[in-house]
Amino acid sequence: MLDVAVIEEAAAAEASLDPIRSGILAALAEPGSAAMLAARLGLPRQKVNYHLKELERHGLVELAEERRKGNVTERIYQATAASYVISPSALSAVSPDPSRAPDQLSARWLLALGARLVQEVGALLSGASRARKRVATFGIDTEVRFASAADRAAFADELTRTVAALVGRYHDESAPRGRSHRVVVGLHQIPAAQPTDPGGQTDPQPSGETGTTHTTAGQDA
């Protein structure tokens, strides 16, 4: 079982978002049969069998083993991953395009960058899995708490100059065997969960000047 799998096909994304099927996927973090799942989820076995077949058809669950019980063969399934991420490529016609309106201070542009990151790294993982190779990537995830908005602006300015200098030092357009990598750096506030309201919903709110920086570097195919 993979730790994280990327869903790239629209039909597979639709299958994973069905409430019953997502419940089955969560339950199959531990291998189980249709009968076991029916008991765990309180659903008719026939309905569970139907959803299992759909999930298997889209590669979201797989047959782990078959057990013989008298004249009956029990099929044991497991999820193909512990968790799933839906790639923007599943909505290719409306997926975000960071080149459309680049703006370093726009939260929506940062979101578009993140979406492209999921799409590109997902495609790399799919290709690497087929070729049975590893993907060369690097990531940093840390937190920083700013005393003021001025400090945050100064940090962003220094970070920009530092990354630009580092890229300039190592970028070699003429390298005959070089491979292009994408470097993405983002800074955003960490939403703070508020107390649950009577309707059972939480209302995430920005938390002062605390921010998170994400730096990733990925190698292309």
Side-chain angles (χ1 to χ4, degrees):
M1 178 187 290
L2 299 173
D3 182 38
V4 180
V6 180
I7 298 173
E8 297 181 286
E9 298 179 358
E14 182 180 3
S16 71
L17 291 172
D18 177 272
I20 292 177
R21 292 174 189 170
S22 63
I24 291 174
L25 284 175
L28 285 179
E30 297 291 334
S33 65
M36 298 164 101
L37 287 168
R40 288 181 203 169
L41 301 174
L43 295 170
R45 180 173 175 174
Q46 185 177 7
K47 177 176 283 191
V48 170
N49 264 322
Y50 167 75
H51 289 298
L52 274 173
K53 289 178 182 176
E54 286 300 301
L55 290 169
E56 186 179 23
R57 185 163 69 90
H58 294 296
L60 300 175
V61 304
E62 60 188 1
L63 184 65
E65 63 174 307
E66 292 184 331
R67 298 173 183 169
R68 191 74 178 173
K69 287 190 174 182
N71 295 325
V72 178
T73 299
E74 185 179 44
R75 295 166 64 85
I76 307 297
Y77 292 91
Q78 69 175 14
T80 54
S83 57
Y84 298 87
V85 174
I86 297 177
S87 169
S89 61
L91 297 170
S92 57
V94 291
S95 61
D97 180 6
S99 66
R100 189 177 299 137
D103 179 356
Q104 286 184 310
L105 300 180
S106 167
R108 288 181 173 81
W109 188 62
L110 180 59
L111 196 61
L113 288 177
R116 185 180 63 187
L117 177 69
V118 171
Q119 183 171 342
E120 292 185 343
V121 175
L124 285 173
L125 282 173
S126 297
S129 178
R130 289 191 294 269
R132 297 185 178 182
K133 294 183 178 180
R134 297 187 64 182
V135 179
T137 60
F138 171 77
I140 295 175
D141 180 10
T142 188
E143 295 181 16
V144 54
R145 186 174 182 87
F146 298 112
S148 66
D151 282 354
R152 183 180 59 205
F155 175 89
D157 182 62
E158 186 174 348
L159 182 63
T160 300
R161 287 185 278 106
T162 301
V163 171
L166 196 61
V167 169
R169 187 185 310 162
Y170 288 98
H171 180 70
D172 188 346
E173 191 69 40
S174 62
R177 301 182 63 185
R179 289 192 173 187
S180 296
H181 289 63
R182 190 179 306 282
V183 178
V184 179
V185 180
L187 174 70
H188 64 81
Q189 287 181 303
I190 302 173
Q194 299 300 303
T196 304
D197 67 18
Q201 301 295 317
T202 56
D203 182 21
Q205 296 292 336
S207 53
E209 291 301 328
T210 300
T212 298
T213 60
H214 301 281
T215 304
T216 62
Q219 179 173 303
D220 64 5

